[in-house]
Amino acid sequence: TSTDEALDPVEFPPGFLWGAATSAFQIEGATAADGRGPSIWDAFTAEPGRILGGDTGEPAADHYRRWREDVALIRELGLGAYRFSIAWPRVQPAGSGPADPAGLDFYDRLVDALLEAGVEPWPTLYHWDLPQPLEEAGGWPERDTALRFAEYAGLVRDALGDRVAAWTTINEPWCAAFLGYAAGVHAPGRTEPAAALAAAHHLLLGHGLAAGVLRDGPGAPRVGIVHNQTELLPYRPEVADLAAARRADAVRNRVFTDPLLHGRYPADLIEDLAPVTDFGFVRDGDLALAAAPLDLLGVNFYQPHRVAASPEGIDPGLLESGGDTAALVGCETEVMVRRGLETTGMGWEIDPSGLYGVLTRLAAEAPGLPLYVVENGAAYPDEVSGDGRVRDPDRIRYLEAHLRAVHQAVRAGAPVRGYFVWSLLDNFEWAWGYSQRFGLVHVDYATQRRTVKDSGRWYAAVARTGTLPGAGGG
Ligand code: GBH
């Protein structure tokens, strides 16, 4: 039976890459150190009511000062790769102009230390921390931001390109565009649906331009982007819910994958969004740039969703209400519906079959393109017990179940080449502040003491052996 199967040990292919991920604003702190400029997240977290508990980017995990200790932890866990992001406001405090050498030096030392520890550096150029002066000039809805991004990419390439073998340009353009400019739950907190579409386009354009810049660097770097594809299936097998799921899929997934993989916007999206935008921001040649060759596609996955045409006839307690729903531009009557599954600390439903669905779908759509799960993980509130040990069996169960889904996708023919846990460290969880912890390593924010959680030890063994133990094993 499928239950028995889920208990068998599984072995990942040789060479499968095991890593963990973080992002600059979420772990670094030191937001004013060494000439760093303000980002949209500094401005957003300073606005009352935006972040749970009024939390800000300080102190985060103080990684800007404790990076040596963190590299030692990565080595101790035996990871093959570490995905981190580079803070644009450290490299270009004003968002344009020459590089600030102090900012680049930080990442230069980090890359060297990782290589010395035998860990592949996987930098992401943009994980949402736009320099505030660029937002003041209009932000991602302005075409110029894409050009500035390409310029920034050149500065980073010149500094690190001799040692970085795998780059990703932008983390989750969907969040940057739609949570930031339509739902307004992320920085810069704008609620302008048409601007969100323009932002999405300029993020894609910025990606394409930056990909070309990075590829021009030394060696033969691999270049990709990180997309948070999710599974949006109809809540019920009814015509109206099927149509609703198609609409949501267009504005959530295909708005990015169609340009990236096929150099076009989906015809149904253009039609659905006619009342919102005429796509007048698309210029000749943009879509060819967005479809710049990819060496890999990074995939972030947390939870799938079910979509219904309207709330009518559905228990109101089952309706999803967060920013993810508000961000579905053009889906004003559509709703996302919970199925009553077990949830993580964030209240997100746990369903690893969604990850299998995402990976096999992308594999079919982009034959042969190497896929890397570059974020997957679960948050829970603080888990420290009296003896100082951090017991987090729920996280282990979440990771194990999702890794089984990845393995199943590999067996089904998806070229998944690696997996990164979100996150290496507990960190600043955006609108949720420090209330939710995703780390394999616990951070006591008052003392900045790091403690490897049970999940960290469990994951280290998985990474070492390339195997998930069966039930009762390991
Ligand atoms: C990823 O975002 C990010 O790349 C990473 O930085 C982040 O820490 C991690 O996942 C965990 O969230 O319902 O209004 O609360 C995932 C995208 C964005 C999806 C926030 C859920 C909730 C919005 N997530 N969203 S709301």
Side-chain angles (χ1 to χ4, degrees):
T1 70
S2 61
T3 315
D4 290 333
E5 236 169 72
L7 302 176
D8 288 343
V10 298
E11 202 176 318
F12 283 80
F16 193 85
L17 190 63
W18 298 96
T22 62
S23 90
F25 191 79
Q26 294 179 273
I27 64 165
E28 288 179 358
T31 55
D34 299 335
R36 177 187 179 279
S39 76
I40 55 175
W41 273 94
D42 296 282
F44 190 66
T45 54
E47 289 178 30
R50 292 297 200 178
I51 311 296
L52 193 65
D55 291 342
T56 71
E58 299 283 2
D62 196 29
H63 170 78
Y64 189 73
R65 300 192 181 88
R66 294 170 195 266
W67 59 274
R68 280 188 194 81
E69 188 185 340
D70 295 336
V71 172
L73 278 168
I74 296 165
R75 176 184 233 157
E76 183 186 323
L77 293 174
L79 305 183
Y82 171 56
R83 174 173 174 245
F84 58 97
S85 82
I86 294 171
W88 188 350
R90 288 198 197 282
V91 174
Q92 280 182 309
S96 58
D100 177 353
L104 279 175
D105 281 354
F106 173 72
Y107 299 104
D108 192 67
R109 290 191 294 267
L110 178 65
V111 164
D112 278 345
L114 288 166
L115 290 171
E116 204 177 304
V119 178
E120 272 184 40
W122 276 55
T124 295
L125 289 183
Y126 185 73
H127 200 124
W128 310 349
D129 44 0
L130 185 71
Q132 177 64 11
L134 295 185
E135 176 56 31
E136 278 156 22
W140 284 108
E142 286 298 321
R143 187 178 180 89
D144 189 56
T145 303
L147 310 182
R148 297 283 73 76
F149 181 66
E151 183 183 292
Y152 154 67
L155 298 174
V156 177
R157 175 205 62 196
D158 291 347
L160 309 178
D162 56 338
R163 283 155 294 152
V164 168
W167 295 98
T168 49
T169 53
I170 291 172
N171 179 69
E172 299 189 351
W174 179 77
C175 290
F178 291 95
L179 294 181
Y181 292 93
V185 298
H186 279 190
R190 287 164 60 179
T191 47
E192 303 161 36
L197 266 300
H201 182 69
H202 297 135
L203 284 153
L204 286 162
L205 179 63
H207 154 75
L209 293 167
V213 167
L214 293 171
R215 203 176 288 290
D216 257 356
R222 287 179 298 153
V223 179
I225 184 170
V226 179
H227 170 54
N228 57 326
Q229 177 98 350
T230 190
E231 188 178 64
L232 295 154
L233 298 180
Y235 181 56
R236 297 158 294 207
E238 291 171 8
V239 173
D241 286 2
L242 279 152
R246 179 201 54 73
R247 279 176 88 92
D249 182 57
V251 74
R252 178 66 178 70
N253 292 321
R254 288 184 283 121
V255 63
F256 295 107
T257 51
D258 269 35
L260 288 168
L261 303 174
H262 313 301
R264 60 166 192 241
Y265 280 109
D268 60 330
L269 178 77
I270 295 171
E271 196 180 315
D272 290 348
L273 294 188
V276 177
T277 177
D278 62 3
F279 284 78
F281 41 73
V282 182
R283 297 199 193 159
D284 280 356
D286 283 6
L287 287 164
L289 279 166
L294 292 172
D295 303 298
L296 62 95
L297 182 62
V299 179
N300 291 355
F301 180 86
Y302 292 89
Q303 61 165 341
H305 299 278
R306 294 294 179 267
V307 185
S310 84
E312 228 174 288
I314 298 172
D315 173 357
L318 290 177
L319 301 178
E320 289 188 35
S321 59
D324 289 19
T325 313
L328 292 177
V329 172
C331 298
E332 278 66 39
T333 60
E334 287 78 2
V335 290
M336 300 207 286
V337 191
R338 315 166 69 90
R339 287 169 287 163
L341 306 179
E342 185 189 335
T343 62
T344 68
M346 304 279 290
W348 299 352
E349 291 195 308
I350 301 174
D351 178 6
S353 75
L355 178 54
Y356 174 84
V358 161
L359 293 171
T360 50
R361 178 182 176 186
L362 288 171
E365 191 167 346
L369 177 63
L371 304 175
Y372 288 82
V373 176
V374 293
E375 284 184 31
N376 176 237
Y380 293 95
D382 211 350
E383 302 132 327
V384 187
S385 32
D387 58 3
R389 180 170 147 199
V390 185
R391 292 178 174 79
D392 57 344
D394 293 333
R395 178 171 295 101
I396 294 176
R397 274 198 302 131
Y398 180 98
L399 295 176
E400 154 125 46
H402 285 77
L403 276 166
R404 285 183 180 275
V406 172
H407 188 262
Q408 231 187 324
V410 171
R411 272 199 321 214
V416 188
R417 304 275 188 254
Y419 175 91
F420 294 64
V421 172
W422 182 271
S423 177
L424 175 70
L425 301 168
D426 288 343
N427 62 51
F428 175 79
E429 177 50 30
W430 307 116
W432 297 74
Y434 298 102
S435 68
Q436 292 289 335
R437 296 168 174 272
F438 274 93
L440 295 171
V441 176
H442 181 271
V443 176
D444 174 1
Y445 294 109
T447 62
Q448 290 297 339
R449 215 175 98 91
R450 276 95 164 113
T451 307
V452 177
K453 302 181 189 181
D454 284 1
S455 61
R457 292 184 215 293
W458 174 85
Y459 186 59
V462 172
R464 192 179 63 245
T465 59
T467 303
L468 288 174

